[in-house]
Amino acid sequence: DVKVTQSSRYLVKRTGEKVFLECVQDMDHENMFWYRQDPGLGLRLIYFSYDVKMKEKGDIPEGYSVSREKKERFSLILESASTNQTSMYLCASSSLYTNGGTEAFFGQGTRLTVV
Amino acid sequence: GEDVEQSLFLSVREGDSSVINCTYTDSSSTYLYWYKQEPGAGLQLLTYIFSNMDMKQDQRLTVLLNKKDKHLSLRIADTQTGDSAIYFCAESMGSNDYKLSFGAGTTVTVRA
């Protein structure tokens, strides 16, 4: 059974803390993604990576950074957490189908509350 | 995502058909997808359609694509309580096939 595992389901952090969200996939996928999910806004892409040590900004990268030192692990870092970063964070991995298109596999999400 | 739009809520009676609609703006979209998110879970791919197709059927699911109007729909026949979830429309584009852009999601509530 394919898996994308996020290290925490729920986190509560204080304003100004440095926060690490970890994600591991066991499918040997090249591509990994971090999204945040907010009601009425859907999923917004924060950062993605298409290879080890490679990263690209998504639509809302401000206040975040990422690290991909190994193929199976993609970390999201909140350098100095703020209350507007309270959200559900979803990690995903994917590879391309040989005939085109892609399927993204998602973790269960981390609900982060910044107080 | 701002490029993909969906209505936010749909309520349907058990046994009826559900139709979820989506519009997208990028005519270079090569694939369009429907994902399902059940409570407390991540998203799971339901079905997808290549942009040169008009229709795709998979058991109770029918996807219709009107490329001229940039309109995508998902029809669920004989809707069951287990179909209650959030449904996301998504697109991927040309050279960036692996990068998905999602709509806001439609919350489907199935009532008895």
Side-chain angles (χ1 to χ4, degrees), chain A residues 3-18:
Chain A
K3 258 199 174 155
V4 177
T5 304
Q6 295 182 229
S7 52
S8 306
R9 290 295 303 271
Y10 301 95
L11 274 180
V12 180
K13 296 291 181 181
R14 293 190 181 280
T15 301
E17 274 193 80
K18 190 168 185 176

Side-chain angles (χ1 to χ4, degrees), chain B residues 20-81:
Chain B
I20 308 165
N21 294 300
C22 169
T23 57
Y24 60 99
T25 56
D26 197 321
S27 58
S28 64
S29 296
T30 50
Y31 288 89
L32 294 131
Y33 305 82
W34 284 103
Y35 278 79
K36 178 183 181 182
Q37 184 182 34
E38 295 182 357
L43 280 70
Q44 189 171 14
L45 180 66
L46 269 183
T47 187
Y48 70 102
I49 189 167
F50 185 46
S51 58
N52 69 353
M53 296 171 64
D54 298 324
M55 186 180 93
K56 181 179 180 181
Q57 188 146 5
D58 183 3
Q59 299 182 337
R60 291 191 298 123
L61 305 178
T62 303
V63 179
L64 295 177
L65 175 60
N66 181 330
K67 202 170 178 185
K68 174 176 163 287
D69 294 338
K70 299 190 186 70
H71 183 265
L72 181 75
S73 68
L74 174 69
R75 178 177 178 269
I76 306 172
D78 186 25
T79 310
Q80 304 298 309
T81 54

